[in-house]
């Protein structure tokens, strides 16, 4: 769904509560999950998924009202859609707009919220003005989430929302995510993780609900493409965004352009790598990325790996995970 106009930063859009948007998944989960294709939950685990879904919905109802930190990814989108179904206009999805958010991701996030009449507000965040964020060390994500949650707290005080929720799932608790520490410091809740819902289960439930984004590749902020220790600037983020859009125009779906100064290191999902390995396509990739300002272009033979930049971090940093 294309948008003719995006909401301006700070604009509040409230809609009536829709009826019958999604199926009562708690009672129909087993049938729906069997149809979830490559994200199919084994039959032995379907009852557990249905139970976790029920716990998730009950937790949202218990909150009474909530603001959702919404990015348009499958986790936050499923959280926002379910919160809207459970709480109606006692929820608000908050989308942070900053140079680290690709315009394409902004458009897709707004389109999904609009398609379900989810109350949405776009707010401007200024993490790029923080020297600690620009420094781009292992704590960059903490400063980003700290900025977001501070802005949401201020907004919640004005609009009467006491609770903030974000889309951390059960798998995320085992990954290196400094943003979790910011969530803890701001008392932000994670209903998906609390219910024990994994990434696989969230995707399956999103597909069962008919959400077209159920298989959308993860799309972390543009700053995650910049090697640690290299200053994050607006110009760098814009260059990465242009480079990734050029790969998308070449027909690739899951990839990253890792920014190493004059060098672009391209990671493409292994399923798509054979298509990249012709001389014609390699020339096209090189030409496209050089047009965005990179002097050197290299294709990473290992393929796309989520969080590959973390490989250089010391072990003592990684074991802290979100703490």
């Amino acid at each position: 769904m294309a948008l003719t106009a995006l909401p301006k930063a700070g604009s509040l859009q409230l809609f009536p509560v829709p009826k019958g948007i999604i199926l009562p998944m708690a009672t129909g989960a087993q049938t729906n999950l069997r149809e979830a294709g490559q994200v199919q939950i084994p039959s032995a685990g379907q009852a557990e998924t249905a139970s976790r879904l029920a716990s998730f919905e009950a937790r949202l109802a218990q909150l009474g009202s909530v603001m959702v930190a919404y990015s348009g990814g499958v986790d936050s989108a499923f959280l926002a859609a379910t919160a809207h179904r459970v709480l109606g206009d006692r929820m608000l999805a908050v989308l942070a707009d900053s140079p680290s958010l690709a315009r394409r991701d902004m458009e897709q996030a707004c389109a999904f919220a609009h398609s379900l009449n989810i109350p949405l507000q776009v707010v401007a965040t200024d993490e790029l003005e923080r020297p600690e964020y620009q420094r781009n060390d292992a704590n960059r994500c903490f400063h980003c989430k700290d900025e977001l949650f501070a802005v949401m707290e201020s907004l919640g005080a004005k609009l009467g929302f006491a609770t903030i929720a974000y889309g951390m799932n059960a798998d995320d608790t085992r990954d290196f995510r400094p943003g979790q520490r910011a969530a803890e410091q701001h008392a932000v809740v994670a209903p998906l993780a609390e219910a024990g819902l994994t990434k696989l289960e969230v995707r399956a439930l999103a597909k069962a609900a008919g959400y077209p984004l159920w298989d959308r590749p993860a799309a972390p902020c543009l700053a995650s493409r910049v090697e640690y220790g290299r200053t994050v600037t607006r110009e760098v983020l814009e260059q990465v965004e242009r480079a990734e859009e050029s790969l998308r125009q070449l027909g690739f779906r899951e990839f990253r352009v890792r920014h190493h100064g004059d060098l672009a290191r391209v990671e493409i999902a292994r399923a798509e790598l054979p298509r990249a390995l012709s001389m014609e396509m390699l020339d096209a990739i090189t030409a496209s990325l050089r047009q965005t300002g990179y002097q050197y272009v290299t294709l990473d033979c290992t393929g796309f790996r989520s969080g590959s930049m973390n490989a250089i971090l010391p072990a003592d940093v990684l074991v802290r995970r979100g703490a």
Side-chain angles (χ1 to χ4, degrees), residues 120-140:
L120 172 68
Q121 181 155 349
V122 178
V123 297
T125 56
D126 297 320
E127 65 271 15
L128 197 57
E129 302 304 315
R130 293 188 175 201
E132 305 91 343
Y133 179 87
Q134 294 176 7
R135 186 167 60 237
N136 193 25
D137 61 16
N139 289 311
R140 184 198 64 241

Side-chain angles (χ1 to χ4, degrees), residues 51-228:
S51 176
R52 289 169 184 154
L53 175 63
S55 296
F56 171 55
E57 293 174 334
R59 174 60 168 145
L60 291 173
Q62 180 187 51
L63 293 176
S65 67
V66 67
M67 285 194 306
V68 173
Y70 173 65
S71 67
V74 63
D75 295 319
S76 71
F78 185 72
L79 170 59
T82 308
H84 185 217
R85 179 165 58 85
V86 172
L87 298 171
D89 61 5
R90 289 173 292 143
M91 68 78 62
L92 176 66
V94 178
L95 176 61
D97 186 17
S98 78
S100 66
L101 177 65
R103 296 303 89 186
R104 183 177 187 272
D105 293 338
M106 160 75 93
E107 180 174 331
Q108 289 184 338
C110 291
F112 178 77
H114 291 177
S115 73
L116 296 185
N117 289 340
I118 295 172
L120 172 68
Q121 181 155 349
V122 178
V123 297
T125 56
D126 297 320
E127 65 271 15
L128 197 57
E129 302 304 315
R130 293 188 175 201
E132 305 91 343
Y133 179 87
Q134 294 176 7
R135 186 167 60 237
N136 193 25
D137 61 16
N139 289 311
R140 184 198 64 241
C141 289
F142 167 82
H143 300 295
C144 178
K145 288 295 190 290
D146 184 55
E147 168 75 10
L148 169 63
F149 295 143
V151 170
M152 291 183 69
E153 284 174 342
S154 178
L155 179 65
K158 296 176 183 176
L159 299 180
F161 289 96
T163 304
I164 299 171
Y166 78 131
M168 181 176 74
N169 63 54
D171 292 329
D172 294 334
T173 62
R174 297 183 288 273
D175 198 3
F176 176 70
R177 294 176 181 266
Q180 293 175 17
R181 179 160 49 92
E184 293 171 2
Q185 291 185 7
H186 289 271
V188 176
V189 299
L192 291 169
E194 290 177 21
L197 285 167
T198 65
K199 187 74 169 187
L200 176 68
E201 290 175 312
V202 172
R203 287 194 183 278
L205 290 168
K207 183 174 184 180
Y211 300 152
L213 50 62
W214 69 270
D215 64 343
R216 181 175 296 169
C221 79
L222 293 170
S224 67
R225 278 69 154 169
V226 184
E227 64 178 336
Y228 286 120

